Amino acid sequence: TQLLEQSPQFLSIQEGENLTVYCNSSSVFSSLQWYRQEPGEGPVLLVTVVTGGEVKKLKRLTFQFGDARKDSSLHITAAQPGDTGLYLCAGDGGTDKLIFGTGTRLQVFP
Amino acid sequence: SAVISQKPSRDICQRGTSLTIQCQVDSQVTMMFWYRQQPGQSLTLIATANQGSEATYESGFVIDKFPISRPNLTFSTLTVSNMSPEDSSIYLCSVAGPQGTDTQYFGPGTRLTVL
């Protein structure tokens, strides 16, 4: 069974701080995605990483895919209250299915 | 990206009753997915719905409890049957993104509370 464990589970920080969220598995994935979900909405895709060691940047967000394609990280620089939400990693589960990570709930206070 | 709407957005139901959730997509899609998100938790796939065939259910989910219809390429329904308080969750539908991307686009979800 493919599992994606995220850490930390909860993160509460002040505006301007940096943070890193981790997504780990014992399984190899051909790709990993990161989604953000805000209250009352569905998850929204942030990025897809497909190559081991790949680094992608989206403004203040930096995503990295592990060399062995078993893990990924999301780093946010100078967090803002608008970054508040539930961050979910997801890996391909075959037949177009996604396996979602356990989630990291981020709260950024002004 | 696809635009997905769900109805109702939320509902409060009595135990023992059933609720049907609708999912409408603004373009034709082959595969649609239904997820459950229990309070404060991540998403769990309930089933995959392809037009013209029976839905494929994940372990722990059965058709009698969560019957799904997929009458055409833009619409699907999920029914939560004989509800209990443990069924209180957010139910989300999604569609596959561009072929080869492994991504999905999600509806806004239906928040169900069972009393």
Side-chain angles (χ1 to χ4, degrees):
Chain A
T1 303
Q2 295 173 302
L3 294 174
L4 284 165
E5 295 283 342
Q6 288 184 235
S7 62
Q9 186 178 1
F10 299 98
L11 198 52
S12 184
I13 61 173
Q14 291 294 127
E15 182 176 5
E17 292 184 25
N18 302 331
L19 66 115
T20 301
V21 178
Y22 299 94
C23 173
N24 295 295
S25 176
S26 58
S27 302
V28 175
F29 289 91
S30 61
S31 67
L32 274 179
Q33 295 110 55
W34 285 91
Y35 292 80
R36 179 171 66 210
Q37 184 181 23
E38 299 184 30
E41 299 181 10
V44 175
L45 178 69
L46 296 174
V47 78
T48 301
V49 286
V50 296
T51 305
E54 181 177 7
V55 176
K56 281 191 174 180
K57 293 193 174 184
L58 185 65
K59 298 184 180 178
R60 294 176 294 101
L61 279 61
T62 301
F63 304 85
Q64 186 162 5
F65 201 11
D67 291 341
R69 293 185 288 131
K70 293 182 178 182
D71 56 87
S72 181
S73 64
L74 158 61
H75 182 79
I76 302 179
T77 303
Q80 299 177 1
D83 296 326
T84 294
L86 177 66
Y87 287 81
L88 297 159
C89 64
D92 64 285
T95 323
D96 291 321
K97 295 193 296 186
L98 286 179
I99 297 170
F100 278 86
T102 49
T104 296
R105 194 166 296 279
L106 171 64
Q107 177 78 53
V108 182
F109 292 98
Chain B
S1 63
V3 177
I4 304 168
S5 60
Q6 287 185 232
K7 289 182 181 179
S9 59
R10 58 177 61 224
D11 207 343
I12 300 174
C13 302
Q14 297 296 321
R15 70 169 65 213
T17 62
S18 298
L19 176 72
T20 295
I21 301 167
Q22 300 178 9
C23 179
Q24 180 76 51
V25 189
D26 68 342
S27 57
Q28 294 185 337
V29 294
T30 303
M31 301 180 74
M32 296 180 76
F33 306 89
W34 286 98
Y35 290 85
R36 181 175 71 185
Q37 186 174 27
Q38 294 177 301
Q41 298 197 19
S42 185
L43 279 67
T44 301
L45 181 64
I46 297 172
T48 302
N50 288 342
Q51 194 269 334
S53 62
E54 292 288 325
T56 303
Y57 289 82
E58 298 299 304
S59 176
F61 298 96
V62 295
I63 188 171
D64 290 346
K65 176 67 177 177
F66 297 102
I68 289 171
S69 78
R70 183 77 204 275
N72 58 54
L73 290 172
T74 63
F75 187 79
S76 179
T77 67
L78 169 76
T79 299
V80 187
S81 304
N82 188 23
M83 289 184 285
S84 66
E86 292 69 35
D87 294 320
S88 297
S89 292
I90 298 171
Y91 292 86
L92 298 132
C93 69
S94 73
V95 303
Q99 193 170 5
T101 64
D102 296 323
T103 58
Q104 292 183 13
Y105 301 113
F106 286 83
T110 296
R111 182 179 293 272
L112 170 63
T113 302
V114 184
L115 302 177

